[in-house]
Amino acid sequence: MAKLEILEFPDPRLRKVAAPVTCVDDDIRTIIDNMFETMYDAPGIGLAAIQVGVPKRVLVIDLQPEDEEAEGEVCNHGGHEHVHYPTVKEPRVFINPEILDPAEELASYQEGCLSVPDIFADVDRPATCRVRYQDLEGETHEEDLEGLMATCIQHEMDHLEGILFIDHLSRLKRNMALKKLKKLREAA
Ligand code: GNR
Ligand code: NI
């Protein structure tokens, strides 16, 4: 496995429309292995192949949910007591994904993007949707998604069309985000 370089805004390669995968072969499976290593290292909950310079319609996602069956650790910062559980790995691969039946109802999540580091903003998207995709064997599946998974797959699908989450913000909020990104880069 190898960690890959993540392209960052305003790299023009992030604006390309990714091409369908015509054959799910070992080359694609190697890219996917490397995408997982890159995503876990970042760390992030999703990654589109285009973010590592591969303009193909491939996504990996792992929401790494907390395992509430496991023993939690009580934590007390700022006088606010809560429990942290260890996370479990739930790696998901989506090849040639298509979004079906997006809900009219919207949900708002604070999004971030590994290609727009350290910038976070609320984005409204359809609260639920269906996804059709191929797996590592090239088999086609369909699945209903909700919550963070629905948001994340829509964020990743945008990457396949050359769209970034900052494109969904009002001009004022986008300009604020880009100003902050410039400042953070100057400080680094
Ligand atoms: O790590 C990520 N977190 C995230 C949070 C809210 C909505 C979407 C995401 S995806 C992002 C990783 C990334 O940039 N994927 O393209
Ligand atoms: Ni992203």
Side-chain angles (χ1 to χ4, degrees):
M1 288 227 286
K3 211 185 100 182
L4 307 169
E5 186 197 340
I6 298 176
L7 305 181
E8 292 186 4
F9 175 89
D11 193 307
R13 288 171 288 181
L14 289 169
R15 296 309 193 174
K16 289 213 259 180
V17 176
V21 174
T22 52
C23 181
V24 181
D25 57 13
D26 282 347
D27 287 353
I28 285 290
R29 285 187 278 265
T30 300
I31 291 167
I32 289 167
D33 273 355
N34 293 336
M35 285 172 65
F36 273 115
E37 183 173 347
T38 305
M39 181 187 77
Y40 287 129
D41 179 77
I45 59 170
L47 191 70
I50 193 92
Q51 292 179 276
V52 292
V54 176
K56 293 186 193 291
R57 303 185 83 82
V58 175
L59 313 175
V60 298
I61 294 181
D62 191 334
L63 302 183
Q64 290 162 271
E66 290 192 337
D67 178 10
E68 292 181 24
E69 308 279 272
E71 192 172 340
E73 198 178 313
V74 178
C75 184
N76 196 333
H77 27 236
H80 174 71
E81 196 163 279
H82 56 280
V83 186
H84 287 285
Y85 296 97
T87 57
V88 281
K89 281 204 165 47
E90 238 172 55
R92 301 292 316 268
V93 176
F94 300 90
I95 299 171
N96 295 327
E98 296 167 64
I99 297 283
L100 313 167
D101 308 331
E104 278 186 38
E105 184 201 341
L106 302 180
S108 176
Y109 271 89
Q110 190 180 63
E111 298 195 15
C113 181
L114 296 174
S115 296
V116 194
D118 303 311
I119 301 297
F120 301 91
D122 290 338
V123 178
D124 292 335
R125 300 184 187 270
T128 63
C129 62
R130 204 169 163 76
V131 64
R132 180 188 294 150
Y133 64 96
Q134 284 167 267
D135 66 17
L136 287 168
E137 276 73 52
E139 297 293 324
T140 301
H141 303 269
E142 274 188 34
E143 199 174 314
D144 289 310
L145 304 178
E146 59 177 20
L148 184 57
M149 191 63 180
T151 292
C152 189
I153 202 134
Q154 292 175 70
H155 172 117
E156 303 309 339
M157 288 292 304
D158 272 356
H159 279 299
L160 303 186
E161 302 300 322
I163 297 167
L164 300 172
F165 84 101
I166 50 174
D167 301 341
H168 291 285
L169 306 179
S170 67
R171 203 162 61 153
L172 177 74
K173 288 203 171 147
R174 185 170 50 252
N175 286 341
M176 276 166 48
L178 296 180
K179 239 180 170 166
K180 185 172 171 207
L181 184 64
K182 187 162 171 267
K183 252 187 147 167
L184 287 168
R185 282 175 172 168
E186 281 165 2

